[in-house]
Amino acid sequence: MEFYDTFDENGVFHSAEDEHDVHYKGLWHKVIRVWLYDKEGNLYLRVRKSDKKLDCINTLHMRSSESVTSCFDRGMFEKLGIHFPATSNLSQVCTRKVKIHKVYSDNSELKDNYFLCDYIGEFDENVTFFIYSKDTDGLVKANARGILNLLSTRAGEIICTEVLPGGKMSDKRSIIHIDDIFEDPNEDTFAKYNFVVNKISEDSRAYEKEMKEKEKIIKILNRPKQEETYVSHADENEGADIY
């Protein structure tokens, strides 16, 4: 039995409760959604084994007393077998309130009230990973802004690249259409990706600016030094009386 920290609707901590009571009583808790990106503006998506559709890396309940970094790391390892270093870039994108109330045929109820917290972590291309989860069929990368445009227009196509275990990019390219992206009927898919893609674009622009500044500094440091001529006036007053 897992325990989750519970909160009031304003996010103020209340107590730690077991998962049954959390969902039976509709207590507010936190859910972390795990996304991977790189500073070149790409989004890394998990290939679901059940339907071969692309989705975020993982979505999981945050356990009692678990830090965000630890939860993110657990989500990565559950799906890809990657341990996410605490020193890597991890950024919070947004937090939204979600309320789900379901009544089943046996009259049992599910009351799932949670804060959905989207976090993006920077993918390390040198990392060694393996497909650890039975519901994961692979990992691909695609331009984040291209994915958002696809969701916005509901038409067209973009290219994605398969990521091989070990982090290396495959020579294999695939075409993504709107039907290749997993869509939860309980959530607007465009909104789901919008906050994430805008954050990735913001980070990639900042990175590009940083790289340009570094290039300027390197050019200045490597610029050939001009020889300077110094004129000495030491002998002009030689022999003069000084009073």
Side-chain angles (χ1 to χ4, degrees), residues 63-105:
R63 294 171 179 167
S64 179
S65 301
E66 185 175 40
S67 69
V68 170
T69 302
S70 296
C71 185
F72 192 95
D73 178 71
R74 179 164 61 87
M76 291 271 289
F77 189 77
E78 283 182 2
K79 299 301 182 185
L80 300 175
I82 299 176
H83 277 303
F84 186 77
T87 53
S88 297
N89 292 330
L90 181 63
S91 303
Q92 182 174 6
V93 177
C94 62
T95 298
R96 286 168 283 172
K97 292 180 181 179
V98 178
K99 290 185 176 183
I100 299 175
H101 185 196
K102 293 181 180 180
V103 179
Y104 299 101
S105 57

Side-chain angles (χ1 to χ4, degrees), residues 24-119:
Y24 177 74
K25 298 177 181 178
L27 303 176
W28 285 92
H29 55 288
K30 289 185 178 180
V31 170
I32 300 295
R33 189 149 61 188
V34 178
W35 301 86
L36 283 180
Y37 80 109
D38 64 33
K39 288 183 177 177
E40 294 179 355
N42 295 307
L43 189 59
Y44 291 74
L45 298 172
R46 179 175 68 93
V47 182
R48 295 157 49 97
K49 183 162 285 187
S50 58
D51 51 21
K52 308 303 181 186
K53 292 183 182 290
L54 307 180
D55 199 4
C56 64
I57 301 302
N58 203 356
T59 302
L60 65 167
H61 287 78
M62 193 169 178
R63 294 171 179 167
S64 179
S65 301
E66 185 175 40
S67 69
V68 170
T69 302
S70 296
C71 185
F72 192 95
D73 178 71
R74 179 164 61 87
M76 291 271 289
F77 189 77
E78 283 182 2
K79 299 301 182 185
L80 300 175
I82 299 176
H83 277 303
F84 186 77
T87 53
S88 297
N89 292 330
L90 181 63
S91 303
Q92 182 174 6
V93 177
C94 62
T95 298
R96 286 168 283 172
K97 292 180 181 179
V98 178
K99 290 185 176 183
I100 299 175
H101 185 196
K102 293 181 180 180
V103 179
Y104 299 101
S105 57
D106 61 356
N107 290 325
S108 61
E109 293 183 78
L110 169 69
K111 296 179 182 178
D112 207 5
N113 297 331
Y114 58 89
F115 300 98
L116 178 59
C117 310
D118 285 291
Y119 279 85

Side-chain angles (χ1 to χ4, degrees), residues 131-196:
I131 304 303
Y132 181 77
S133 173
K134 292 181 180 179
D135 63 357
T136 300
D137 205 37
L139 185 69
V140 300
K141 80 167 182 176
N143 179 267
R145 185 57 63 179
I147 292 175
L148 194 63
N149 290 338
L150 193 63
L151 290 167
S152 174
T153 61
R154 310 292 299 180
E157 60 185 31
I158 60 172
I159 297 174
C160 73
T161 304
E162 180 184 3
V163 185
L164 301 174
K168 295 183 179 179
M169 300 299 119
S170 169
D171 294 331
K172 183 180 178 181
R173 301 289 188 272
S174 301
I175 303 297
I176 300 176
H177 299 92
I178 187 64
D179 292 338
D180 295 314
I181 298 176
F182 171 74
E183 300 194 69
D184 187 335
N186 296 313
E187 183 176 16
D188 183 307
T189 311
F190 178 82
K192 172 181 176 178
Y193 280 81
N194 188 38
F195 291 106
V196 173

Side-chain angles (χ1 to χ4, degrees), residues 218-227:
I218 290 172
K219 285 181 180 179
I220 292 172
L221 292 176
N222 292 334
R223 185 181 299 166
K225 293 183 179 180
Q226 297 180 349
E227 291 186 4

